[in-house]
Amino acid sequence: MAYDTIKLKSPALDRSLIRRVEEQCILRSGEDMASGEVLYELFAGELLGSWDARISVIPKYEDWIVNKNGRPELVPTEPYLLIEASVHKIFHGHNVYGGSTNFLQVCRDFVAFVSELLDTDLPHADIWTVHRVDVALVYRLSKPACKEFFDGIQLLSFPRRKKGSAKYDMAVYFAGKTTTVKFYHKGTEFQVHERSRLRGYFTNLMTHLHGADDPQNRQRVQRKIDALQRLADSRLRAEVEIHSDKLQYDFEKNPRVDEVSDAYLQGVYDKEIEKLLREGKQAMNTVRESRAVLCRLQNLYGNSPGTRLYGFWSSMVTLGDEVTRQQFAKTVFYRNRKLLEDAGVSWRNSDVVVIANDAILPHDFSPIRSDRRLCFLPARNRPEYSISREQMRLAA
């Protein structure tokens, strides 16, 4: 488990400090957008998406409060800062692998780093409040297996996440008020959003290390980019974006950094994935093959009930959730689906599907922490993959 995008709010700050921050942001963002040569872009705006490698620094002079009528109202307050960035990218250059697993420490590093870039003394990170955390897990799957995973997702219906959801060839996005769940093939995302940015970064780095006239610089840059692309091509990334509303509900406020534990964030990830895919139960191995499904259902529920449930399962596999729901009474549909879940039987990515399936996707794969394809060790023994913070500083 690693942390990606984090959004923090500072305590009230002195107005002279805020003015200094504003001057820094305006100056730096103008230069960055004009030249594109500075690694760290400080700007007063929102991030574009999960691929954005910039650091958002927004000075604020007003905030939302609940008025006497119980409604939110924007009112003037003492000035404060909102900072947001992919901590994975600002400390490692990319988020293909690795990443911090210690929330408290990465927040401390994040605030200290922004303070260093702004040449300003900001309050200690522990007393900042948390407004967004992206928790991510990465799985080792081939590109064809990832494609098969997303083909299977296309057949499924997610009624509670229907509004604001989006499905693509190699990515799915389920937006919500309290959390957003995302799955995407890292190689495809890297190809579209990361290659050009890292090419500029590596070019600056090699120029600094070896001189602008070194004829090997182009090859060095290409080797780095190609190595990261190969690694990304065999990675499926799952993210749960925890919103401010979720934090407020669980803590009855936006919690301080030192109040949010790794265990809490890990629990939110597990619960949201389980609710979405309804197959996050780690105590029982999931069964997908049709013969094993029939055998398990008959063993658990008896021959006749098990055979009837097998027919229901076959309908879920071949027709999908929506069509099957129309064929059964509401109570029967949900009762049968619950019996399948209790039996550890999945109708997702089965060997009986409408699309061609050559078993490229491992039959027992599930995007949960107990899956054996989970990548949990940093691949830092390969120099072509590694990017140190000192190297990033040199390239800037």
Side-chain angles (χ1 to χ4, degrees):
M1 186 181 74
Y3 302 113
D4 200 338
T5 300
I6 291 177
K7 184 176 184 179
L8 303 177
K9 175 186 173 183
S10 75
L13 301 174
D14 185 83
R15 287 182 179 269
S16 61
L17 188 151
I18 287 288
R19 284 194 294 272
R20 183 174 181 179
V21 171
E22 289 174 329
E23 293 170 359
Q24 292 281 330
C25 288
I26 293 171
L27 176 64
R28 184 70 66 86
S29 65
E31 289 182 352
D32 284 349
M33 288 186 286
S35 67
E37 294 181 352
V38 179
L39 178 63
Y40 301 108
E41 293 183 328
L42 299 180
F43 74 111
E46 299 292 336
L47 299 182
L48 295 176
S50 60
W51 63 86
D52 203 330
R54 298 176 296 173
I55 302 173
S56 171
V57 180
I58 308 178
K60 290 281 192 176
Y61 294 87
E62 53 188 11
D63 202 0
W64 293 96
I65 66 167
V66 178
N67 61 25
K68 61 182 180 181
N69 297 321
R71 296 184 177 181
E73 180 181 357
L74 195 60
V75 300
T77 62
E78 290 298 312
Y80 61 92
L81 283 181
L82 286 176
I83 62 173
E84 182 177 5
S86 167
V87 292
H88 201 153
K89 290 179 180 176
I90 65 173
F91 291 125
H92 300 292
H94 61 83
N95 64 353
V96 176
Y97 67 86
S100 174
T101 58
N102 186 322
F103 180 73
L104 179 60
Q105 187 59 51
V106 78
C107 287
R108 289 173 175 172
D109 292 342
F110 181 27
V111 172
F113 189 49
V114 172
S115 180
E116 180 183 338
L117 292 175
L118 293 172
D119 192 21
T120 304
D121 291 328
L122 296 176
H124 195 275
D126 290 21
I127 61 175
W128 291 52
T129 54
V130 184
H131 291 254
R132 172 184 170 181
V133 184
D134 285 11
V135 182
L137 292 183
V138 179
Y139 300 88
R140 186 181 63 258
L141 288 174
S142 67
K143 187 173 182 178
C146 290
K147 181 63 167 64
E148 193 168 305
F149 172 80
F150 289 112
D151 286 344
I153 291 288
Q154 297 293 332
L155 297 173
L156 306 181
S157 172
F158 302 91
R160 295 183 180 180
R161 293 276 186 172
K162 192 171 185 179
K163 185 178 180 181
S165 66
K167 297 179 181 179
Y168 308 97
D169 285 344
M170 296 296 273
V172 290
Y173 179 93
F174 300 99
K177 183 179 180 181
T178 58
T179 61
T180 293
V181 181
K182 296 171 279 188
F183 298 100
Y184 58 92
H185 176 238
K186 183 59 192 176
T188 302
E189 192 254 12
F190 185 90
Q191 176 74 35
V192 174
H193 296 293
E194 299 289 342
R195 283 185 70 98
S196 59
R197 176 181 67 84
L198 287 175
R199 186 178 298 279
Y201 157 72
F202 282 126
T203 299
N204 291 338
L205 176 62
M206 297 308 169
T207 298
H208 178 87
L209 294 176
H210 305 286
D213 299 328
D214 192 321
Q216 298 298 315
N217 280 351
R218 185 185 296 270
Q219 290 86 346
R220 293 187 183 104
V221 170
Q222 193 62 45
R223 283 198 298 268
K224 285 277 190 179
I225 295 295
D226 290 345
L228 285 170
Q229 182 69 65
R230 287 194 300 271
L231 194 64
D233 281 341
S234 62
R235 296 296 183 267
L236 173 71
R237 189 171 177 88
E239 294 183 9
V240 173
E241 179 182 317
I242 305 172
H243 301 166
S244 183
D245 286 341
K246 173 65 173 173
L247 295 164
Q248 290 178 16
Y249 179 83
D250 288 344
F251 291 89
E252 299 182 348
K253 61 175 182 176
N254 281 103
R256 296 185 355 163
V257 167
D258 59 4
E259 295 174 330
V260 180
S261 68
D262 296 313
Y264 164 77
L265 297 171
Q266 179 177 290
V268 173
Y269 176 92
D270 292 342
K271 185 175 181 180
E272 293 302 314
I273 293 295
E274 180 177 353
K275 284 197 301 184
L276 181 70
L277 298 182
R278 305 190 68 87
E279 57 179 31
K281 298 180 178 66
Q282 301 180 26
M284 184 179 292
N285 293 327
T286 301
V287 177
R288 287 193 173 93
E289 294 84 359
S290 58
R291 291 183 180 179
V293 168
L294 177 59
C295 182
R296 174 170 288 189
L297 292 177
Q298 289 179 336
N299 287 340
L300 284 178
Y301 301 116
N303 288 339
S304 294
T307 302
R308 287 196 297 270
L309 278 174
Y310 177 76
F312 177 80
W313 175 83
S314 299
S315 177
M316 293 283 277
V317 166
T318 56
L319 301 178
D321 296 33
E322 285 290 340
V323 175
T324 302
R325 185 182 290 111
Q326 297 171 9
Q327 308 303 315
F328 292 83
K330 183 177 180 179
T331 55
V332 174
F333 174 85
Y334 286 105
R335 182 178 67 246
N336 287 350
R337 193 176 73 172
K338 181 65 164 56
L339 290 172
L340 293 181
E341 293 168 0
D342 290 342
V345 168
S346 174
W347 55 93
R348 301 176 176 93
N349 300 322
S350 169
D351 64 339
V352 183
V353 292
V354 176
I355 60 171
N357 186 331
D358 297 322
I360 300 173
L361 179 68
H363 74 280
D364 59 342
F365 173 71
S366 187
I368 56 178
R369 287 187 296 111
S370 63
D371 191 271
R372 59 189 176 88
R373 284 151 289 264
L374 176 66
C375 301
F376 58 91
L377 294 177
R380 299 206 173 277
N381 58 329
R382 298 285 295 277
E384 62 268 36
Y385 296 141
S386 300
I387 304 176
S388 69
R389 181 169 168 180
E390 184 58 33
Q391 287 178 318
M392 294 167 67
R393 194 180 300 279
L394 291 176

